[in-house]
C-alpha cells in the first residue's frame, strides 16, 4: 500500500514516516533508502533537512514522496528512482541502457591506477562497454593528462556517458563511440578496461528482482558460461597485439567465482601474465593481463 503524506507534514516527520513504511515492508536498507528518496523527492540537500526539517513538505512534495515510495515498494531500486548514483566520489546519471555503478567496480579503477602510479603520465585509455562511463571518467579524473575512449553498443548509454564526462569535468578528454568490443579500433592503448556482461545466461533468471527486472539484459548476459565477452576481448588482443602499447595492460571486472576460469582462458590464448585481484569484501573481482610480458 502506498503511504499518504499530508502536505502540512514537516519534512523530518515525513522522513520518519517513510522509514517506518519501508521497515514494515521489510526493505533491507529501509533507513538509507528512505533518506535518499526523501532528499530526492523534496529536492533537498542533507543540510536543508537538518536546518529546515520542520518546514512543511507542501502539495508537490507530498505527491513526489508518494510516487517515490510507491516505486520503491514495487521493487524498483533507489538508484533508478533517483536517476543517478555515486561512483568514486563522483555523481553519475543513469539511463535505461546503463547499469547502476556499484562499489565493487571501483576495484577496476584501483587496479588500473596501481599499474600507472605516476599521476601526470600521459595515457591512452579505452573503456569497453562503458555504460555510464563511470570507470573511464574516474580514471580521467585521477590522471589529468590521460585521454580516453568509451565504447558501447547502446546509443542511449553513450548519450548518458557523454553527459557524465562533461558534468564531471573530463568531457574534453573523452570520446564516446558506438562499437562492439575492439573490432573497429586501431590502438595502441596504454590501458584497456572493462566491466563486461559476465553473468551466465542460465543464472539470470535467479538474480534478485532489483537486478533482473531493472538492469539492462545486454549488460548482464555473458553467454552460456558467462565468458563470451572475455573471449572476444582477449581474442582481439591476441590477434592484434598492437592494440596495447609496450607495457600496456588489460583490466577486467569479473564475477566472484570467475578468476580461475578467466586466467586459464588468458593463458590458453598466449598471455602468460594474468593475475586476480580482490575487492574489499575479499571476493575475486579483477583480472589484470599484461600481454607485454607474454613474449611480445
Amino acid at each position: 500500500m502506498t503511504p499518504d503524506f499530508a502536505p502540512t507534514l514537516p519534512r523530518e516527520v515525513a522522513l520518519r514516516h517513510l522509514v517506518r513504511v519501508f521497515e514494515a515492508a521489510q526493505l533491507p536498507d529501509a533507513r538509507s533508502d528512505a533518506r535518499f528518496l526523501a532528499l530526492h523527492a523534496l529536492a533537498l540537500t542533507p543540510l536543508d533537512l537538518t536546518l529546515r526539517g520542520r518546514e512543511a513538505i507542501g502539495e508537490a512534495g507530498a505527491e513526489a514522496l508518494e510516487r517515490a515510495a510507491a516505486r520503491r515498494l514495487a521493487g524498483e531500486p533507489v538508484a533508478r528512482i533517483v536517476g543517478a548514483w555515486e561512483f568514486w566520489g563522483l555523481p553519475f546519471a543513469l539511463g535505461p541502457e546503463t547499469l547502476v555503478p556499484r562499489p565493487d567496480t571501483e576495484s577496476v579503477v584501483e587496479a588500473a591506477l596501481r599499474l600507472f602510479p605516476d599521476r601526470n603520465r600521459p595515457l591512452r585509455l579505452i573503456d569497453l562497454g562503458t555504460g555510464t562511463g563511470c570507470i573511464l571518467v574516474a580514471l580521467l579524473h585521477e590522471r589529468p593528462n590521460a585521454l580516453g575512449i568509451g565504447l558501447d553498443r547502446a546509443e542511449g548509454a553513450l548519450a548518458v556517458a557523454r553527459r557524465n564526462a562533461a558534468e564531471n569535468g573530463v568531457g574534453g578528454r573523452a570520446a564516446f563511440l558506438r562499437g562492439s568490443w575492439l573490432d573497429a579500433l586501431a590502438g595502441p592503448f596504454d590501458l584497456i578496461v572493462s566491466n563486461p556482461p559476465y553473468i551466465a545466461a542460465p543464472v539470470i533468471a535467479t538474480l534478485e528482482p532489483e537486478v533482473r527486472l531493472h538492469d539492462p539484459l545486454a549488460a548482464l548476459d555473458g553467454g552460456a558460461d558467462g565468458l563470451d565477452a572475455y573471449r572476444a576481448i582477449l581474442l582481439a588482443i591476441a590477434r592484434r597485439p598492437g592494440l596495447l602499447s609496450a607495457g600496456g595492460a588489460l583490466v577486467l571486472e569479473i564475477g566472484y567465482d570467475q578468476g580461475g576460469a578467466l586466467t586459464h582462458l588468458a593463458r590458453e590464448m598466449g598471455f602468460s601474465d594474468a593475475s586476480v585481484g580482490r575487492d574489499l569484501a575479499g571476493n575475486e573481482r579483477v583480472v589484470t593481463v599484461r600481454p607485454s610480458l607474454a613474449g611480445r
Side-chain angles (χ1 to χ4, degrees):
M1 179 181 295
T2 303
D4 293 324
F5 292 89
T8 56
L9 206 61
R11 292 165 169 171
E12 58 190 19
V13 176
L15 174 57
R16 289 198 294 269
H17 179 45
L18 190 58
V19 169
R20 288 194 296 271
V21 169
F22 285 176
E23 287 178 339
Q26 299 184 328
L27 296 182
D29 300 304
R31 288 185 177 276
S32 61
D33 286 3
R35 186 172 179 81
F36 272 119
L37 291 181
L39 293 174
H40 170 69
L42 300 175
L44 301 176
T45 66
L47 185 60
D48 291 332
L49 189 60
T50 299
L51 297 181
R52 295 188 289 276
R54 296 183 180 180
E55 293 183 14
I57 60 175
E59 191 74 39
E63 292 175 0
L65 269 177
E66 289 171 5
R67 287 195 301 270
R71 291 171 67 180
R72 184 69 192 103
L73 291 169
E76 189 171 353
V78 170
R80 295 288 178 189
I81 300 170
V82 173
W85 210 240
E86 184 178 286
F87 179 87
W88 202 256
L90 304 169
F92 287 88
L94 307 178
E97 295 176 289
T98 71
L99 291 174
V100 177
R102 290 172 169 82
D104 292 343
T105 302
E106 293 188 354
S107 300
V108 176
V109 178
E110 292 166 354
L113 293 175
R114 283 195 297 270
L115 292 171
F116 300 97
D118 181 356
R119 176 174 172 79
N120 295 311
R121 175 177 170 174
L123 293 170
R124 292 157 295 180
L125 318 176
I126 185 158
D127 179 17
L128 305 175
T130 195
T132 62
C134 64
I135 297 175
L136 180 62
V137 169
L139 289 170
L140 293 178
H141 186 265
E142 296 295 330
R143 296 293 180 263
N145 292 319
L147 302 173
I149 295 173
L151 200 71
D152 206 289
R153 289 178 292 183
E155 286 289 359
L158 292 170
V160 170
R162 289 188 190 100
R163 172 184 165 190
N164 285 328
E167 294 192 356
N168 282 296
V170 300
R173 294 187 284 121
F176 294 93
L177 307 174
R178 188 175 184 184
S180 179
W181 307 127
L182 289 157
D183 293 348
L185 300 169
F189 298 98
D190 300 300
L191 180 63
I192 299 173
V193 295
S194 184
N195 174 19
Y198 57 71
I199 308 297
V203 174
I204 291 175
T206 71
L207 296 175
E208 292 293 328
E210 289 191 11
V211 174
R212 176 169 43 85
L213 300 179
H214 297 282
D215 279 342
L217 180 62
L220 299 174
D221 189 347
D225 62 357
L227 301 178
D228 281 2
Y230 302 117
R231 288 190 185 92
I233 294 168
L234 289 167
L235 185 59
I237 296 172
R239 288 176 172 172
R240 295 189 291 143
L243 286 169
L244 275 170
S245 63
L250 171 66
V251 181
L252 301 165
E253 180 168 340
I254 60 171
Y256 72 94
D257 59 352
Q258 292 177 316
L262 189 50
T263 54
H264 178 73
L265 179 62
R267 287 165 184 151
E268 276 191 331
M269 292 191 182
F271 303 120
S272 63
D273 187 349
S275 59
V276 179
R278 296 180 181 272
D279 58 25
L280 290 176
N283 296 315
E284 295 181 346
R285 189 57 58 192
V286 179
V287 164
T288 300
V289 179
R290 301 294 298 266
S292 60
L293 302 181
R296 288 182 62 200

